[in-house]
Amino acid sequence: MPLYHMKEIWTPFKLVGVKFFRTSEGELFWKYRNNPRKRLN
């Protein structure tokens, strides 16, 4: 699996534990609490 440089995107979903991340290539990932990140698109 390639190594990604991710930046967290702030959304109101963060208040309930859902976080969104964007890679330097523009791909989106999401994460719910302590679960691993999953690709969104």
Side-chain angles (χ1 to χ4, degrees):
M1 180 159 187
L3 179 65
Y4 292 110
H5 290 89
M6 296 194 180
K7 183 175 182 180
E8 186 174 351
I9 303 169
W10 191 92
T11 61
F13 290 117
K14 188 175 178 181
L15 300 174
V16 294
V18 179
K19 297 179 182 178
F20 291 94
F21 300 91
R22 185 179 303 273
T23 63
S24 56
E25 291 84 24
E27 298 175 346
L28 288 173
F29 287 79
W30 69 282
K31 178 179 179 179
Y32 180 68
R33 298 196 180 175
N34 288 334
N35 296 326
R37 292 180 186 131
K38 296 178 184 174
R39 190 177 306 221
L40 189 62
N41 53 351

